[in-house]
Amino acid sequence: MNNSDNIYNLAVSGVQKLVPYVPGKPIEELERELGLSYIIKLASNENPLGPGKKALAAIQAILPDLALYPDGNGFELKSALAKKYNLDMNQITLGNGSNEILELVARAFLTPDLEVVFSQHAFAVYPLVTQAVGATAVVAPALNYGHDLDAMQRRVTAKTRLVFIANPNNPTGTLLSHSSLEAFIKALPVTCVCVLDEAYCEFVADQNVENSTAWLEKYPNLLITRTFSKAYGLAGLRVGYGLSSPQLADILNRVRQPFNNNMLALAAATAALTDSEHLQNTITVNEQGMQFITEGFKKLDLEWIPSAANFVLVDLKKPALPVYEALLRKGVIVRPVGVYELPNHLRITIGTSAENELFIEALAEVVSLS
Ligand SMILES: *Cc1c(COP(=O)(O)O)cnc(C)c1O
């Protein structure tokens, strides 16, 4: 075998056909390409205020310990989360981002003869983790861009081992009602694990959404995932977690790496949980920015999908890529969502008020020219 391409034939079949996740364009890359000096990135739903002071101080304080392995059980962070949610520590799985939890659940529960149900326009990581283990993705058509729970339910069979639901969903920002969601979970067969991905729950005005943790008592097959990457402003550190029955958590903890969360991440996330001021500021800035940006769309006669999260999809009613590229040339990075079967939309992360103004200004120029 002297043709190095033959190596591809050795990979498991799901991986052979895998198309990797394409992240938002990094600022440095656009700087290199265009030589622009001022660039704003509203592409990856990151916190425009950055990390909070308490998280930064905790990182600073732990630096001298970096020669040691981190606490593989994440005792401090798990205790803090257990207290916050009134759960037992053994109901928590820590992940290198909540993305890792999504991968762990796929690895622990799927085989090539099993199926996974999720919605059209759902988060891109669900098909990736499904395909990587060779399981079959069963995609339910969306309803008004959101999850159609009835359509999803109809696709659940004895072969369905996992269901992924993002609430709010990324990239659409759509939100399911608390009662319809519980009815869906309740109706699932016990042979099916329900992953409720709540990466954006902190931004949702309806408090009911964060109270989904109360369901854990009733549904041992429910896994709720949350993250420090969005509202807590720690995307670069990679910390997320799963909340579930102790049995489900035990299974996930068996397959994770022993030190999957690094020491800086554990310290910063623990401190971030005590920084309610930073979280509140983040939520306020997001609400104001969402209002400003959607008013901007209105003035430009553009439609958008109402969003419960920290981003919004604007409908350009024509291919969005040229608009995306024209915005790039003005130093504004947003996110095309063609891979989500939404070729006429762009996803905009809500920024600081200065960033939002620059974005609307740039968008106004671009759409008036095209
Ligand atoms: C951003 C995001 C995540 C997770 O991100 P991590 O940084 O890995 O925690 C999970 N689900 C959705 C829907 C997201 O948008």
Side-chain angles (χ1 to χ4, degrees), residues 62-359:
I62 201 102
L63 287 175
D65 291 349
L66 283 183
L68 307 175
Y69 277 101
D71 174 7
N73 283 319
F75 180 85
E76 297 288 340
L77 179 54
K78 277 193 197 167
S79 318
L81 288 169
K83 195 161 159 233
K84 174 176 162 72
Y85 293 120
N86 198 19
L87 296 170
D88 220 79
M89 272 173 68
N90 66 5
Q91 295 184 266
I92 302 171
T93 310
L94 299 180
N96 197 267
S98 57
N99 264 315
E100 189 190 15
I101 307 287
L102 303 176
E103 204 184 332
L104 293 178
V105 74
R107 268 176 48 213
F109 286 96
L110 296 177
T111 54
D113 54 331
L114 293 171
E115 296 180 354
V116 181
V117 170
F118 51 84
S119 174
Q120 180 189 19
H121 313 315
F123 188 41
V125 169
Y126 311 154
L128 285 178
V129 297
T130 301
Q131 199 183 325
V133 295
T136 302
V138 177
V139 182
L143 178 67
N144 298 325
Y145 298 105
H147 291 24
D148 182 343
L149 291 176
D150 291 334
M152 289 175 71
Q153 185 141 33
R154 284 196 297 274
R155 284 162 176 79
V156 173
T157 69
K159 279 185 172 179
T160 313
R161 184 57 49 84
L162 278 186
V163 172
F164 284 111
I165 299 177
N167 198 45
N169 183 47
N170 172 18
T172 57
T174 47
L175 187 72
L176 295 160
S177 84
H178 196 65
S179 54
S180 63
L181 194 48
E182 186 178 6
F184 175 86
I185 296 166
K186 193 173 183 175
L188 279 181
V190 288
T191 48
C192 180
V193 171
C194 180
V195 182
L196 181 56
D197 178 344
E198 297 186 329
Y200 301 96
C201 65
E202 295 87 357
F203 294 105
V204 180
D206 180 356
Q207 293 291 315
N208 265 331
V209 171
E210 285 203 70
N211 291 337
S212 58
T213 51
W215 293 335
L216 293 171
E217 219 174 286
K218 293 189 251 177
Y219 308 111
N221 55 339
L222 175 63
L223 171 66
I224 297 173
T225 61
R226 295 187 180 179
T227 181
F228 287 91
S229 297
K230 310 284 162 54
Y232 289 94
L234 297 174
L237 283 178
R238 316 301 304 121
V239 208
Y241 54 96
L243 306 172
S244 66
S245 60
Q247 295 77 6
L248 215 168
D250 175 38
I251 291 167
L252 298 179
N253 275 294
R254 288 182 199 187
V255 288
R256 73 172 173 87
Q257 286 190 32
F259 302 109
N260 61 333
N261 283 105
N262 73 71
M263 190 185 282
L264 304 182
L266 291 171
T270 309
L273 284 177
T274 67
D275 198 344
S276 48
E277 194 186 336
H278 186 253
L279 182 63
Q280 195 47 58
N281 283 344
T282 299
I283 292 166
T284 306
V285 163
N286 187 62
E287 277 169 5
Q288 291 166 349
M290 183 67 81
Q291 179 121 20
F292 177 85
I293 284 188
T294 51
E295 271 166 19
F297 291 157
K298 202 183 220 169
K299 285 183 200 145
L300 295 172
D301 252 332
L302 295 170
E303 284 177 30
W304 68 95
I305 300 173
S307 168
N310 67 341
F311 55 83
V312 58
L313 274 189
V314 61
D315 185 357
L316 298 162
K317 312 261 181 205
K318 61 180 181 186
L321 268 187
V323 175
Y324 163 71
E325 280 157 9
L327 287 170
L328 281 184
R329 290 192 289 273
K330 293 180 176 294
V332 178
I333 311 174
V334 298
R335 191 65 161 269
V337 282
V339 291
Y340 291 98
E341 299 179 13
L342 295 163
N344 295 347
H345 290 75
L346 288 177
R347 193 190 67 196
I348 322 301
T349 302
I350 308 303
T352 60
S353 58
E355 288 170 335
N356 299 335
E357 279 169 32
L358 279 172
F359 160 70

